[in-house]
Amino acid sequence: MTDKNITKDVIYEAVAPDDFESMLHLDRYGNRSTAFDKIISATHDHFWDPLDKKYIDFDEPFDMENEALLPEEFVGALQTKYVQDILSDPKDRIRFINASTLRSFSSILHGEQGALNLSASLCHVLYDQGAQEYAANQTREEARHVTAFAKYVKSRWGRPVECGAALKALLVEIIEAPEVYKKIIGMQMLVEGLAMGAFANGFKYNRDPVAKKLFQLVMTDEAFHHKFGKIWADRTVPQLTEAERNIVEDWAAHCAQSLLFNNGSPTQQAVIYGEFGLDPERVVADIMARRAARDPSRKMKGETNVFRVLIKTLLNAGLITDRTRGFYAAYVDMDELRAEGDRMVGDDIAEDGIRFLQAINFKDRAGVAIAAE
Ligand SMILES: [Fe+2]
Ligand SMILES: [Fe+2]
């Protein structure tokens, strides 16, 4: 056991990824933590199967030629005059929106694959059996997300596109990291936080009923994964020395930067611009000029901002101090976030989803709760 893991609570104690022998210590078997038992047992309530049409039917059609998956205002490039002039035919704009949406769904699919491998890697380092059972359970849930998003992409586009370089580098880094804090912050707090924001938006604004259903079903699982990170933060951050807090805070900012770049940088969409006869450099320059010209906090306000859950998680956890506040303030209105309560964007959508699943899974049972601890 090394304090490079920055573990403050015994339930997050961790060993090196190749140290299986530690798992055979006899005392360990009798000391299983119960901290995650509510989350583990809740998995039966929100069980779903992407291969069972009772839950979701990927064969339901959507007219990809004539209907846009998202409203035009969600695609930044379409707000510039240059792109509007070239894509003047409404059908071209529909094709452009749906091609841009493929990139988002591909990022989600690659992210889900990352979550599957990350939670499997947690099984190798977490020392406590209860924490391991939690991680094994998350691994199983991430596996169904990979199946589900792969099926959705196949049904609408045939094939995903490459993982963006920034997201790929982050996923590789957290999956390979031996330190448990890097894994939990990178995946549970940040990737899962971004996912909850993005899925909440997808649920609200995607016009394909199959996509809406998919986002809600996945959120019934992700809300719990996000809670695992919250429990870690609640039990760890208040105990950190200032030097440790700085290490953890900087790691969080590093991970956030990769995700914000992957989602927010117009250069990540350059391939699509070329495919539509647009000059990618011109599109990127016009998007940046448009962003610079408007009120800097305008689009960052309100619940449609996909970065909200991610940044709010860090804020509530005490992992944004004056050292890093300015960096996040470029993306969201920090005062508005601080004024909100603890409730996470997307929790209500997940709870409705769990009710839907309970009605299928257990016709006789009532009551719904997203267990925190
Ligand atoms: Fe997932
Ligand atoms: Fe997850």
Side-chain angles (χ1 to χ4, degrees), residues 138 142 192 222 225:
Q138 184 183 335
E142 303 299 2
E192 302 274 4
E222 303 297 10
H225 304 168

Side-chain angles (χ1 to χ4, degrees), residues 166 194 252-266 288 291 294-312 314 320 324-337:
L194 179 66
H254 162 74
C255 297
Q257 188 151 37
S258 302
L259 292 171
L260 295 168
F261 181 83
N262 186 65
N263 271 52
S265 168
M288 297 314 276
R291 282 186 190 174
R294 73 185 176 204
D295 170 3
S297 67
R298 192 190 69 93
K299 188 119 183 251
M300 307 302 169
K301 287 194 175 192
E303 292 208 346
T304 54
N305 184 350
V306 295
F307 304 129
R308 285 176 83 72
V309 187
L310 178 162
I311 296 174
K312 191 166 167 179
L314 295 177
I320 299 178
T324 52
R325 191 186 147 92
F327 165 64
Y328 296 102
Y331 296 94
V332 292
D333 182 329
M334 298 295 282
D335 294 328
E336 186 191 65
L337 266 195

Side-chain angles (χ1 to χ4, degrees), residues 67-317:
E67 222 181 320
L69 287 165
L70 287 169
E72 278 193 20
E73 59 267 30
F74 279 72
V75 181
L78 278 176
Q79 313 308 312
T80 67
K81 192 173 176 313
Y82 167 64
V83 177
Q84 284 168 356
D85 287 347
I86 293 184
L87 301 182
S88 55
D89 182 340
K91 276 199 117 172
D92 284 342
R93 289 208 293 282
I94 289 170
R95 285 198 308 121
F96 186 78
I97 292 169
N98 291 352
S100 303
T101 313
L102 169 59
R103 188 176 178 280
S104 311
F105 273 93
S106 300
S107 287
I108 292 170
L109 175 57
H110 297 304
E112 294 291 359
Q113 185 64 57
L116 193 167
N117 284 59
L118 187 284
S119 35
S121 83
L122 279 175
C123 293
H124 290 181
V125 299
L126 288 169
Y127 187 67
D128 178 85
Q129 288 169 69
Q132 280 185 322
E133 188 170 348
Y134 166 82
N137 187 64
Q138 184 183 335
T139 308
R140 187 265 178 276
E141 292 177 357
E142 303 299 2
R144 72 176 165 230
H145 301 171
V146 174
T147 300
F149 280 105
K151 279 185 80 74
Y152 183 73
V153 168
K154 192 171 183 191
S155 75
R156 297 298 181 247
W157 295 275
R159 197 175 152 79
V161 294
E162 289 287 330
C163 188
L167 178 61
K168 188 194 282 184
L170 176 65
L171 294 175
V172 169
E173 201 175 7
I174 59 179
I175 290 163
E176 288 182 354
E179 299 93 342
V180 74
Y181 83 89
K182 288 189 177 174
K183 293 178 183 295
I184 293 175
I185 290 176
M187 178 55 65
Q188 248 72 23
M189 299 184 78
L190 293 175
V191 178
E192 302 274 4
L194 179 66
M196 281 297 277
F199 296 174
N201 269 0
F203 174 77
K204 267 192 198 154
Y205 300 107
N206 196 299
R207 290 170 175 153
D208 179 355
V210 180
K212 267 187 201 294
K213 171 67 77 63
L214 173 56
F215 283 126
Q216 183 165 38
L217 289 175
V218 173
M219 285 173 80
T220 65
D221 298 330
E222 303 297 10
F224 292 95
H225 304 168
H226 195 54
K227 290 281 191 287
F228 180 83
K230 184 181 177 329
I231 298 172
W232 175 86
D234 288 349
R235 293 185 177 217
T236 305
V237 177
Q239 315 297 327
L240 296 175
T241 64
E242 193 184 335
E244 288 170 335
R245 216 262 334 278
N246 290 349
I247 291 172
V248 169
E249 181 179 356
D250 290 346
W251 173 252
H254 162 74
C255 297
Q257 188 151 37
S258 302
L259 292 171
L260 295 168
F261 181 83
N262 186 65
N263 271 52
S265 168
T267 57
Q268 299 274 301
Q269 295 271 27
V271 177
I272 297 175
Y273 305 147
E275 285 168 7
F276 281 80
L278 301 159
D279 170 8
E281 280 181 27
R282 171 81 197 269
V283 180
V284 171
D286 283 8
I287 293 175
M288 297 314 276
R290 191 173 165 274
R291 282 186 190 174
R294 73 185 176 204
D295 170 3
S297 67
R298 192 190 69 93
K299 188 119 183 251
M300 307 302 169
K301 287 194 175 192
E303 292 208 346
T304 54
N305 184 350
V306 295
F307 304 129
R308 285 176 83 72
V309 187
L310 178 162
I311 296 174
K312 191 166 167 179
T313 307
L314 295 177
L315 188 67
N316 289 347

